[in-house]
PDB file of all heavy atoms in Angstrom:
ATOM      1  N   GLN A 253      -5.500 -14.429 -12.625  1.00  0.00           N
ATOM      2  CA  GLN A 253      -5.313 -15.720 -13.268  1.00  0.00           C
ATOM      3  C   GLN A 253      -3.823 -16.072 -13.354  1.00  0.00           C
ATOM      4  O   GLN A 253      -3.463 -17.278 -13.292  1.00  0.00           O
ATOM      5  CB  GLN A 253      -5.897 -15.734 -14.679  1.00  0.00           C
ATOM      6  CG  GLN A 253      -7.436 -15.612 -14.660  1.00  0.00           C
ATOM      7  CD  GLN A 253      -8.018 -15.690 -16.035  1.00  0.00           C
ATOM      8  OE1 GLN A 253      -7.321 -15.737 -17.053  1.00  0.00           O
ATOM      9  NE2 GLN A 253      -9.368 -15.698 -16.124  1.00  0.00           N
ATOM     10  N   SER A 254      -2.947 -15.093 -13.468  1.00  0.00           N
ATOM     11  CA  SER A 254      -1.543 -15.359 -13.659  1.00  0.00           C
ATOM     12  C   SER A 254      -0.738 -14.212 -12.995  1.00  0.00           C
ATOM     13  O   SER A 254      -1.234 -13.067 -12.956  1.00  0.00           O
ATOM     14  CB  SER A 254      -1.162 -15.460 -15.140  1.00  0.00           C
ATOM     15  OG  SER A 254       0.219 -15.377 -15.364  1.00  0.00           O
ATOM     16  N   ASP A 255       0.473 -14.501 -12.562  1.00  0.00           N
ATOM     17  CA  ASP A 255       1.380 -13.447 -12.057  1.00  0.00           C
ATOM     18  C   ASP A 255       1.626 -12.424 -13.159  1.00  0.00           C
ATOM     19  O   ASP A 255       1.985 -11.282 -12.879  1.00  0.00           O
ATOM     20  CB  ASP A 255       2.688 -14.066 -11.587  1.00  0.00           C
ATOM     21  CG  ASP A 255       2.530 -14.838 -10.299  1.00  0.00           C
ATOM     22  OD1 ASP A 255       1.431 -14.792  -9.668  1.00  0.00           O
ATOM     23  OD2 ASP A 255       3.483 -15.546  -9.886  1.00  0.00           O
ATOM     24  N   ASN A 256       1.539 -12.861 -14.432  1.00  0.00           N
ATOM     25  CA  ASN A 256       1.812 -11.964 -15.530  1.00  0.00           C
ATOM     26  C   ASN A 256       0.735 -10.890 -15.666  1.00  0.00           C
ATOM     27  O   ASN A 256       0.893  -9.904 -16.427  1.00  0.00           O
ATOM     28  CB  ASN A 256       1.933 -12.713 -16.845  1.00  0.00           C
ATOM     29  CG  ASN A 256       3.121 -13.627 -16.895  1.00  0.00           C
ATOM     30  OD1 ASN A 256       4.161 -13.349 -16.263  1.00  0.00           O
ATOM     31  ND2 ASN A 256       2.984 -14.777 -17.593  1.00  0.00           N
ATOM     32  N   ASP A 257      -0.407 -11.052 -14.928  1.00  0.00           N
ATOM     33  CA  ASP A 257      -1.451 -10.061 -14.966  1.00  0.00           C
ATOM     34  C   ASP A 257      -1.116  -8.861 -14.076  1.00  0.00           C
ATOM     35  O   ASP A 257      -1.868  -7.848 -14.014  1.00  0.00           O
ATOM     36  CB  ASP A 257      -2.746 -10.668 -14.522  1.00  0.00           C
ATOM     37  CG  ASP A 257      -3.351 -11.579 -15.587  1.00  0.00           C
ATOM     38  OD1 ASP A 257      -3.294 -11.243 -16.771  1.00  0.00           O
ATOM     39  OD2 ASP A 257      -3.855 -12.680 -15.200  1.00  0.00           O
ATOM     40  N   ILE A 258      -0.023  -8.950 -13.322  1.00  0.00           N
ATOM     41  CA  ILE A 258       0.388  -7.860 -12.439  1.00  0.00           C
ATOM     42  C   ILE A 258       1.612  -7.193 -12.990  1.00  0.00           C
ATOM     43  O   ILE A 258       2.628  -7.866 -13.319  1.00  0.00           O
ATOM     44  CB  ILE A 258       0.740  -8.393 -11.035  1.00  0.00           C
ATOM     45  CG1 ILE A 258      -0.507  -9.107 -10.424  1.00  0.00           C
ATOM     46  CG2 ILE A 258       1.219  -7.267 -10.133  1.00  0.00           C
ATOM     47  CD1 ILE A 258      -0.167  -9.779  -9.092  1.00  0.00           C
ATOM     48  N   THR A 259       1.516  -5.888 -13.214  1.00  0.00           N
ATOM     49  CA  THR A 259       2.640  -5.088 -13.779  1.00  0.00           C
ATOM     50  C   THR A 259       2.961  -3.933 -12.825  1.00  0.00           C
ATOM     51  O   THR A 259       2.069  -3.102 -12.517  1.00  0.00           O
ATOM     52  CB  THR A 259       2.284  -4.542 -15.179  1.00  0.00           C
ATOM     53  OG1 THR A 259       1.916  -5.586 -16.028  1.00  0.00           O
ATOM     54  CG2 THR A 259       3.459  -3.736 -15.713  1.00  0.00           C
ATOM     55  N   PHE A 260       4.183  -3.895 -12.376  1.00  0.00           N
ATOM     56  CA  PHE A 260       4.586  -2.799 -11.476  1.00  0.00           C
ATOM     57  C   PHE A 260       4.914  -1.556 -12.294  1.00  0.00           C
ATOM     58  O   PHE A 260       5.700  -1.631 -13.216  1.00  0.00           O
ATOM     59  CB  PHE A 260       5.731  -3.206 -10.559  1.00  0.00           C
ATOM     60  CG  PHE A 260       5.264  -3.762  -9.276  1.00  0.00           C
ATOM     61  CD1 PHE A 260       4.799  -5.083  -9.177  1.00  0.00           C
ATOM     62  CD2 PHE A 260       5.289  -3.007  -8.109  1.00  0.00           C
ATOM     63  CE1 PHE A 260       4.336  -5.600  -7.973  1.00  0.00           C
ATOM     64  CE2 PHE A 260       4.826  -3.509  -6.915  1.00  0.00           C
ATOM     65  CZ  PHE A 260       4.323  -4.801  -6.821  1.00  0.00           C
ATOM     66  N   VAL A 261       4.333  -0.442 -11.877  1.00  0.00           N
ATOM     67  CA  VAL A 261       4.571   0.846 -12.484  1.00  0.00           C
ATOM     68  C   VAL A 261       5.683   1.601 -11.751  1.00  0.00           C
ATOM     69  O   VAL A 261       6.475   2.309 -12.305  1.00  0.00           O
ATOM     70  CB  VAL A 261       3.261   1.720 -12.466  1.00  0.00           C
ATOM     71  CG1 VAL A 261       3.510   3.116 -12.990  1.00  0.00           C
ATOM     72  CG2 VAL A 261       2.149   1.003 -13.229  1.00  0.00           C
ATOM     73  N   LYS A 262       5.737   1.323 -10.456  1.00  0.00           N
ATOM     74  CA  LYS A 262       6.761   1.988  -9.601  1.00  0.00           C
ATOM     75  C   LYS A 262       7.097   1.041  -8.492  1.00  0.00           C
ATOM     76  O   LYS A 262       6.238   0.391  -7.867  1.00  0.00           O
ATOM     77  CB  LYS A 262       6.197   3.308  -9.051  1.00  0.00           C
ATOM     78  CG  LYS A 262       7.207   4.077  -8.205  1.00  0.00           C
ATOM     79  CD  LYS A 262       6.564   5.360  -7.632  1.00  0.00           C
ATOM     80  CE  LYS A 262       7.544   6.099  -6.754  1.00  0.00           C
ATOM     81  NZ  LYS A 262       6.903   7.276  -6.080  1.00  0.00           N
ATOM     82  N   GLY A 263       8.384   1.007  -8.116  1.00  0.00           N
ATOM     83  CA  GLY A 263       8.823   0.155  -7.007  1.00  0.00           C
ATOM     84  C   GLY A 263       9.147  -1.267  -7.466  1.00  0.00           C
ATOM     85  O   GLY A 263       8.584  -1.782  -8.425  1.00  0.00           O
ATOM     86  N   ASP A 264      10.052  -1.886  -6.763  1.00  0.00           N
ATOM     87  CA  ASP A 264      10.482  -3.241  -7.039  1.00  0.00           C
ATOM     88  C   ASP A 264       9.813  -4.179  -6.033  1.00  0.00           C
ATOM     89  O   ASP A 264      10.063  -4.103  -4.876  1.00  0.00           O
ATOM     90  CB  ASP A 264      12.007  -3.313  -6.920  1.00  0.00           C
ATOM     91  CG  ASP A 264      12.551  -4.706  -7.179  1.00  0.00           C
ATOM     92  OD1 ASP A 264      11.761  -5.636  -7.423  1.00  0.00           O
ATOM     93  OD2 ASP A 264      13.797  -4.874  -7.123  1.00  0.00           O
ATOM     94  N   PRO A 265       8.940  -5.078  -6.516  1.00  0.00           N
ATOM     95  CA  PRO A 265       8.224  -5.951  -5.597  1.00  0.00           C
ATOM     96  C   PRO A 265       9.154  -6.825  -4.742  1.00  0.00           C
ATOM     97  O   PRO A 265       8.814  -7.263  -3.686  1.00  0.00           O
ATOM     98  CB  PRO A 265       7.346  -6.811  -6.499  1.00  0.00           C
ATOM     99  CG  PRO A 265       7.953  -6.707  -7.866  1.00  0.00           C
ATOM    100  CD  PRO A 265       8.554  -5.322  -7.952  1.00  0.00           C
ATOM    101  N   ALA A 266      10.397  -7.044  -5.267  1.00  0.00           N
ATOM    102  CA  ALA A 266      11.358  -7.822  -4.475  1.00  0.00           C
ATOM    103  C   ALA A 266      11.791  -7.152  -3.183  1.00  0.00           C
ATOM    104  O   ALA A 266      12.321  -7.776  -2.286  1.00  0.00           O
ATOM    105  CB  ALA A 266      12.589  -8.144  -5.332  1.00  0.00           C
ATOM    106  N   THR A 267      11.518  -5.843  -3.096  1.00  0.00           N
ATOM    107  CA  THR A 267      11.910  -5.073  -1.889  1.00  0.00           C
ATOM    108  C   THR A 267      10.769  -4.901  -0.893  1.00  0.00           C
ATOM    109  O   THR A 267      10.978  -4.305   0.142  1.00  0.00           O
ATOM    110  CB  THR A 267      12.441  -3.669  -2.286  1.00  0.00           C
ATOM    111  OG1 THR A 267      11.387  -2.935  -2.914  1.00  0.00           O
ATOM    112  CG2 THR A 267      13.602  -3.778  -3.235  1.00  0.00           C
ATOM    113  N   LEU A 268       9.603  -5.484  -1.193  1.00  0.00           N
ATOM    114  CA  LEU A 268       8.514  -5.460  -0.180  1.00  0.00           C
ATOM    115  C   LEU A 268       8.967  -6.292   1.043  1.00  0.00           C
ATOM    116  O   LEU A 268       9.686  -7.238   0.952  1.00  0.00           O
ATOM    117  CB  LEU A 268       7.261  -6.090  -0.791  1.00  0.00           C
ATOM    118  CG  LEU A 268       6.493  -5.247  -1.775  1.00  0.00           C
ATOM    119  CD1 LEU A 268       5.516  -6.131  -2.575  1.00  0.00           C
ATOM    120  CD2 LEU A 268       5.763  -4.116  -1.118  1.00  0.00           C
ATOM    121  N   THR A 269       8.480  -5.867   2.208  1.00  0.00           N
ATOM    122  CA  THR A 269       8.723  -6.622   3.428  1.00  0.00           C
ATOM    123  C   THR A 269       7.773  -7.835   3.427  1.00  0.00           C
ATOM    124  O   THR A 269       6.593  -7.691   3.138  1.00  0.00           O
ATOM    125  CB  THR A 269       8.508  -5.764   4.658  1.00  0.00           C
ATOM    126  OG1 THR A 269       9.429  -4.663   4.646  1.00  0.00           O
ATOM    127  CG2 THR A 269       8.725  -6.550   5.933  1.00  0.00           C
ATOM    128  N   SER A 270       8.329  -8.985   3.789  1.00  0.00           N
ATOM    129  CA  SER A 270       7.545 -10.230   3.810  1.00  0.00           C
ATOM    130  C   SER A 270       7.444 -10.752   5.238  1.00  0.00           C
ATOM    131  O   SER A 270       8.415 -10.693   6.013  1.00  0.00           O
ATOM    132  CB  SER A 270       8.171 -11.287   2.925  1.00  0.00           C
ATOM    133  OG  SER A 270       8.052 -10.943   1.563  1.00  0.00           O
ATOM    134  N   TYR A 271       6.268 -11.259   5.547  1.00  0.00           N
ATOM    135  CA  TYR A 271       6.050 -11.928   6.832  1.00  0.00           C
ATOM    136  C   TYR A 271       5.316 -13.221   6.540  1.00  0.00           C
ATOM    137  O   TYR A 271       4.290 -13.236   5.881  1.00  0.00           O
ATOM    138  CB  TYR A 271       5.173 -11.036   7.771  1.00  0.00           C
ATOM    139  CG  TYR A 271       4.776 -11.744   9.039  1.00  0.00           C
ATOM    140  CD1 TYR A 271       5.689 -12.014  10.031  1.00  0.00           C
ATOM    141  CD2 TYR A 271       3.445 -12.143   9.221  1.00  0.00           C
ATOM    142  CE1 TYR A 271       5.285 -12.646  11.218  1.00  0.00           C
ATOM    143  CE2 TYR A 271       3.038 -12.770  10.394  1.00  0.00           C
ATOM    144  CZ  TYR A 271       3.995 -13.032  11.420  1.00  0.00           C
ATOM    145  OH  TYR A 271       3.613 -13.674  12.537  1.00  0.00           O
ATOM    146  N   SER A 272       5.888 -14.325   7.015  1.00  0.00           N
ATOM    147  CA  SER A 272       5.318 -15.640   6.718  1.00  0.00           C
ATOM    148  C   SER A 272       4.628 -16.259   7.954  1.00  0.00           C
ATOM    149  O   SER A 272       5.142 -16.117   9.065  1.00  0.00           O
ATOM    150  CB  SER A 272       6.399 -16.604   6.251  1.00  0.00           C
ATOM    151  OG  SER A 272       6.897 -16.163   4.981  1.00  0.00           O
ATOM    152  N   PHE A 273       3.490 -16.838   7.709  1.00  0.00           N
ATOM    153  CA  PHE A 273       2.782 -17.566   8.763  1.00  0.00           C
ATOM    154  C   PHE A 273       2.216 -18.819   8.112  1.00  0.00           C
ATOM    155  O   PHE A 273       1.395 -18.771   7.165  1.00  0.00           O
ATOM    156  CB  PHE A 273       1.653 -16.709   9.334  1.00  0.00           C
ATOM    157  CG  PHE A 273       0.826 -17.428  10.361  1.00  0.00           C
ATOM    158  CD1 PHE A 273       1.404 -17.922  11.529  1.00  0.00           C
ATOM    159  CD2 PHE A 273      -0.544 -17.584  10.211  1.00  0.00           C
ATOM    160  CE1 PHE A 273       0.627 -18.581  12.471  1.00  0.00           C
ATOM    161  CE2 PHE A 273      -1.332 -18.244  11.134  1.00  0.00           C
ATOM    162  CZ  PHE A 273      -0.737 -18.716  12.306  1.00  0.00           C
ATOM    163  N   GLY A 274       2.631 -19.960   8.627  1.00  0.00           N
ATOM    164  CA  GLY A 274       2.259 -21.223   7.972  1.00  0.00           C
ATOM    165  C   GLY A 274       2.867 -21.236   6.557  1.00  0.00           C
ATOM    166  O   GLY A 274       4.020 -20.927   6.375  1.00  0.00           O
ATOM    167  N   ASP A 275       2.054 -21.626   5.590  1.00  0.00           N
ATOM    168  CA  ASP A 275       2.543 -21.691   4.192  1.00  0.00           C
ATOM    169  C   ASP A 275       2.279 -20.388   3.423  1.00  0.00           C
ATOM    170  O   ASP A 275       2.383 -20.405   2.188  1.00  0.00           O
ATOM    171  CB  ASP A 275       1.910 -22.887   3.512  1.00  0.00           C
ATOM    172  CG  ASP A 275       2.317 -24.217   4.142  1.00  0.00           C
ATOM    173  OD1 ASP A 275       3.428 -24.297   4.609  1.00  0.00           O
ATOM    174  OD2 ASP A 275       1.435 -25.136   4.106  1.00  0.00           O
ATOM    175  N   VAL A 276       1.857 -19.324   4.113  1.00  0.00           N
ATOM    176  CA  VAL A 276       1.418 -18.140   3.430  1.00  0.00           C
ATOM    177  C   VAL A 276       2.434 -17.002   3.693  1.00  0.00           C
ATOM    178  O   VAL A 276       2.862 -16.801   4.827  1.00  0.00           O
ATOM    179  CB  VAL A 276       0.034 -17.697   3.890  1.00  0.00           C
ATOM    180  CG1 VAL A 276      -0.422 -16.428   3.160  1.00  0.00           C
ATOM    181  CG2 VAL A 276      -0.997 -18.822   3.640  1.00  0.00           C
ATOM    182  N   LYS A 277       2.747 -16.284   2.640  1.00  0.00           N
ATOM    183  CA  LYS A 277       3.624 -15.131   2.735  1.00  0.00           C
ATOM    184  C   LYS A 277       2.768 -13.854   2.550  1.00  0.00           C
ATOM    185  O   LYS A 277       1.978 -13.758   1.629  1.00  0.00           O
ATOM    186  CB  LYS A 277       4.741 -15.193   1.708  1.00  0.00           C
ATOM    187  CG  LYS A 277       5.723 -14.027   1.736  1.00  0.00           C
ATOM    188  CD  LYS A 277       6.903 -14.304   0.836  1.00  0.00           C
ATOM    189  CE  LYS A 277       6.556 -14.383  -0.614  1.00  0.00           C
ATOM    190  NZ  LYS A 277       7.755 -14.501  -1.495  1.00  0.00           N
ATOM    191  N   HIS A 278       2.971 -12.906   3.442  1.00  0.00           N
ATOM    192  CA  HIS A 278       2.263 -11.633   3.388  1.00  0.00           C
ATOM    193  C   HIS A 278       3.225 -10.531   3.074  1.00  0.00           C
ATOM    194  O   HIS A 278       4.282 -10.444   3.745  1.00  0.00           O
ATOM    195  CB  HIS A 278       1.504 -11.362   4.704  1.00  0.00           C
ATOM    196  CG  HIS A 278       0.628 -12.506   5.115  1.00  0.00           C
ATOM    197  ND1 HIS A 278      -0.686 -12.681   4.655  1.00  0.00           N
ATOM    198  CD2 HIS A 278       0.843 -13.528   6.004  1.00  0.00           C
ATOM    199  CE1 HIS A 278      -1.197 -13.744   5.184  1.00  0.00           C
ATOM    200  NE2 HIS A 278      -0.292 -14.280   6.014  1.00  0.00           N
ATOM    201  N   GLN A 279       2.929  -9.693   2.122  1.00  0.00           N
ATOM    202  CA  GLN A 279       3.863  -8.647   1.673  1.00  0.00           C
ATOM    203  C   GLN A 279       3.298  -7.250   1.847  1.00  0.00           C
ATOM    204  O   GLN A 279       2.146  -6.999   1.487  1.00  0.00           O
ATOM    205  CB  GLN A 279       4.259  -8.878   0.211  1.00  0.00           C
ATOM    206  CG  GLN A 279       4.998 -10.197  -0.008  1.00  0.00           C
ATOM    207  CD  GLN A 279       5.339 -10.439  -1.469  1.00  0.00           C
ATOM    208  OE1 GLN A 279       4.445 -10.429  -2.320  1.00  0.00           O
ATOM    209  NE2 GLN A 279       6.604 -10.660  -1.728  1.00  0.00           N
ATOM    210  N   PHE A 280       4.119  -6.360   2.439  1.00  0.00           N
ATOM    211  CA  PHE A 280       3.641  -5.003   2.736  1.00  0.00           C
ATOM    212  C   PHE A 280       4.750  -3.999   2.525  1.00  0.00           C
ATOM    213  O   PHE A 280       5.934  -4.358   2.501  1.00  0.00           O
ATOM    214  CB  PHE A 280       3.039  -4.937   4.144  1.00  0.00           C
ATOM    215  CG  PHE A 280       4.018  -5.203   5.251  1.00  0.00           C
ATOM    216  CD1 PHE A 280       4.704  -4.207   5.909  1.00  0.00           C
ATOM    217  CD2 PHE A 280       4.249  -6.534   5.696  1.00  0.00           C
ATOM    218  CE1 PHE A 280       5.639  -4.453   6.927  1.00  0.00           C
ATOM    219  CE2 PHE A 280       5.160  -6.827   6.751  1.00  0.00           C
ATOM    220  CZ  PHE A 280       5.849  -5.769   7.363  1.00  0.00           C
ATOM    221  N   CYS A 281       4.377  -2.734   2.434  1.00  0.00           N
ATOM    222  CA  CYS A 281       5.307  -1.636   2.288  1.00  0.00           C
ATOM    223  C   CYS A 281       5.917  -1.329   3.705  1.00  0.00           C
ATOM    224  O   CYS A 281       5.159  -1.048   4.657  1.00  0.00           O
ATOM    225  CB  CYS A 281       4.660  -0.407   1.754  1.00  0.00           C
ATOM    226  SG  CYS A 281       5.723   1.062   1.745  1.00  0.00           S
TER     227      CYS A 281
END
């Protein structure tokens, strides 16, 4: 429902690799 429902226990989500296609961003390790 909200981004606040996701809490990282380990790792910084800002360091995920991102790949964009159209208006969608896909994030992976």
Side-chain angles (χ1 to χ4, degrees):
Q253 293 183 355
S254 164
D255 291 350
N256 294 329
D257 288 319
I258 301 173
T259 302
F260 268 78
V261 176
K262 182 182 178 185
D264 180 357
T267 63
L268 286 165
T269 298
S270 292
Y271 173 72
S272 295
F273 177 60
D275 296 327
V276 181
K277 180 170 65 174
H278 307 277
Q279 296 179 303
F280 62 93
C281 172

